[in-house]
Amino acid sequence: MAKKDLDWGNLPFGYMKTDKRFVANFKDGAWDKGCMTDDDKVVITECAGVLQYAQTCFEGLKAYETADGRIVTFRPDLNASRMADSCRRLEMPVFPEDKFVQACLDVVKANIDWVPPYGSGATLYLRPYMFGSNAVIGVKPADEYQFRILCTPVGPYFKGGVKPIKVRISDLDRAAPHGTGDIKAGLNYAMSLYNIVDAHKCGYAENIYTDPASHTYIEETGGANILFVTKDGKLVTPKSNSILPSITRRSLVQVAKDYLHIEVEERQVNKNELADFAEIGLCGTAAVISPIGQIDDHGKSIMVPAGMDEIGPVLGKLRETLTGIQMGTVEAPKGWIYEIK
Ligand SMILES: *Cc1c(COP(=O)(O)O)cnc(C)c1O
């Protein structure tokens, strides 16, 4: 078999149907062993729990071709344990973590020709997800669930290089105090759509959410955690229990400490401090790090010293080191890289 004939350098960040996907069903209190299928269609009752009460959660991770031609994926064990946390919070059955990891590797293997070539900037995005599949009308958890993993090749998040973005401090909330902000639930995204559409209309790439109880401390955007670099070169990440624990952020913190010998602080970040930082960026699987050049806060513009032209030196070095680890050009910490081929 050979790689698919795609214009790898010009793929959008979008969905494309690939050859195989993994499907497992939970019924009568147990998961079946699951299988790989060609069928991209999901057939469920009109009254399925997911359709009525949004009982669904998901994950996102990538597979890469490395510089020396191996096919690898990055820390899928952390996606497995985070999905288990999401499931417990949503009264859904956990798909066993070891089987989750194996199914991710199997999906990549079954779609190996769809893994974009090294150097193209594109990657194979994996989307594990689960939903309540049987009829539910009185409010309660479903009794039956489907777990699937689809994959699709995606282009680089930034075409033509990493460009700083302009964002705004949001008036709306993505998470409630003591709510579901720390799990990867579809419902957290449904309620952010109105606000992101409005942000785009107003010329902003993203919304920064503050803590939902006091609107004083910086939390994250709709789909990425935030990183700050102080003027004396420390990395700061906001601490809050309504932030989604980003695997990219946790990895970058470790890279900062162990590879770049940068001091890291996880602490509350007051929105009044924003003007004091040298560099600010968003992080997540999709873009790794997106630098922020400007933050608008109700008529006041904070111009980040790193500027609107390119990523700052510290975030740039962090991004380069982590992508090097993922692409096999920088030695990875033990256990981070799972080899498929
Ligand atoms: C998925 C997600 C992130 C990023 O997490 P990664 O594991 O780094 O991809 C950040 N914030 C929210 C709200 C998310 O859903």
Side-chain angles (χ1 to χ4, degrees), residues 58 60 82 174 184 189 220-225 244-249 283-285:
F58 67 98
R82 190 169 65 186
R174 68 170 282 278
K184 224 167 165 70
Y189 280 75
E220 60 170 326
T221 66
N225 282 186
L244 194 281
S246 158
I247 293 165
T248 313
R249 187 249 303 163
C283 68
T285 296

Side-chain angles (χ1 to χ4, degrees), residues 90-257:
L90 296 172
E91 285 296 339
M92 301 169 76
V94 170
F95 191 75
E97 292 182 35
D98 55 334
K99 295 200 167 104
F100 175 108
V101 170
Q102 190 57 51
C104 287
L105 305 181
D106 291 347
V107 166
V108 178
K109 196 175 246 170
N111 294 284
I112 205 97
D113 297 335
W114 294 92
V115 180
Y118 174 75
S120 65
T123 52
L124 187 72
Y125 185 75
L126 302 190
R127 169 53 59 88
Y129 59 111
M130 191 191 294
F131 51 88
S133 56
N134 69 303
V136 175
I137 195 81
V139 176
K140 67 179 180 70
D143 303 306
E144 297 175 13
Y145 294 84
Q146 190 164 102
F147 171 67
R148 298 177 74 100
I149 306 174
L150 67 78
C151 69
T152 181
V154 292
Y157 206 77
F158 294 100
K159 299 248 181 261
V162 180
K163 277 279 170 217
I165 55 173
K166 190 172 118 180
V167 304
R168 70 176 182 188
I169 304 280
S170 173
D171 286 328
L172 302 179
D173 296 319
R174 68 170 282 278
H178 317 293
T180 54
D182 61 338
I183 60 162
K184 224 167 165 70
L187 59 91
N188 291 339
Y189 280 75
M191 58 186 274
S192 74
L193 296 177
Y194 170 83
N195 204 26
I196 192 68
V197 169
D198 186 60
H200 291 165
K201 274 186 204 151
C202 299
Y204 299 101
E206 284 290 350
N207 291 300
I208 289 188
Y209 293 98
T210 52
D211 74 286
S214 73
H215 293 164
T216 305
Y217 299 101
I218 299 296
E219 298 237 304
E220 60 170 326
T221 66
N225 282 186
I226 306 188
L227 303 169
F228 300 95
V229 179
T230 61
K231 289 188 172 138
D232 60 356
K234 275 190 209 125
L235 183 70
V236 177
T237 73
K239 192 182 177 73
S240 154
N241 48 22
S242 46
I243 290 178
L244 194 281
S246 158
I247 293 165
T248 313
R249 187 249 303 163
R250 287 181 276 163
S251 302
L252 287 165
V253 162
Q254 201 171 326
V255 166
K257 288 181 184 160

